Amino acid sequence: KQWYQRRVREGELDKVRQYDCCNQGDGSPGCAVATGHVHTVEYPNRDWTGYFRAKKRDRAPSVWGLDCEMVYTADGMELARMTVVDYKGGTSIDMLVQPTARVLDYNTRYSGVTEKSLSKVTAKLFDAQKALYKLITVDCVLVGHSLES
């Protein structure tokens, strides 16, 4: 079932199916923390055409901290906010991003993002990528949590 993600709990030998949003098991009556259960989707066959690759530039290597806030949508998790800080803690980018699919859960308890905060946002993922592309180089150090997502 695509609505579940497999997890193995410490000390258990069998894999159990749990919803990502509330860790309730298969067959639970409904989400305990959101209006409905949400899911994480992997994209093994995604077409990566149009994504940016950092370039070598004539400037000193830099260090950036990246934080991305995600929301659950009908298509899985999508970017809703991107913040980039420099090594001194100064904010270089702080932008809200409009997800492309219908939002199921704003994940507000973790993201701070609300329906109201995104209501007038027009920036898309491509705009966030362009902003980040202007900062990073192949030689920079990018620090963050769960950068693979």
Side-chain angles (χ1 to χ4, degrees):
K1 295 178 182 178
Q2 70 176 8
W3 299 101
Y4 302 94
Q5 178 171 328
R6 289 183 171 259
R7 294 186 182 175
V8 178
R9 290 185 180 168
E10 188 175 342
E12 291 182 354
L13 298 176
D14 296 327
K15 291 184 177 180
V16 294
R17 289 181 169 259
Q18 293 179 306
Y19 288 102
D20 290 338
C21 52
C22 63
N23 295 324
Q24 291 187 41
D26 192 4
S28 65
C31 186
V33 295
T35 56
H37 288 301
V38 292
H39 60 93
T40 302
V41 176
E42 299 293 328
Y43 300 101
N45 300 317
R46 175 175 262 172
D47 177 11
W48 295 102
T49 310
Y51 282 75
F52 296 106
R53 179 170 290 213
K55 292 186 177 181
K56 185 105 174 130
R57 298 200 175 121
D58 293 329
R59 59 180 177 213
S62 52
V63 178
W64 302 102
L66 172 66
D67 182 45
C68 294
E69 300 300 339
M70 310 297 282
V71 296
Y72 290 99
T73 73
D75 288 343
M77 295 190 83
E78 290 191 50
L79 181 66
R81 184 177 197 159
M82 180 179 74
T83 305
V84 179
V85 296
D86 62 25
Y87 73 97
K88 294 181 181 178
T91 302
S92 297
I93 300 172
D94 188 19
M95 67 185 296
L96 291 167
V97 177
Q98 188 62 246
T100 56
R102 181 176 54 88
V103 176
L104 302 174
D105 183 356
Y106 287 89
N107 211 16
T108 304
R109 67 186 184 275
Y110 301 113
S111 70
V113 176
T114 63
E115 182 176 9
K116 183 178 180 181
S117 67
L118 289 181
S119 65
K120 295 183 181 180
V121 172
T122 59
K124 299 288 186 188
L125 176 61
F126 180 78
D127 300 309
Q129 290 171 324
K130 280 194 323 189
L132 185 60
Y133 180 74
K134 289 178 184 178
L135 288 180
I136 65 170
T137 68
V138 294
D139 299 320
C140 79
V141 175
L142 195 57
V143 179
H145 178 262
S146 296
L147 291 177
E148 76 283 357
S149 64

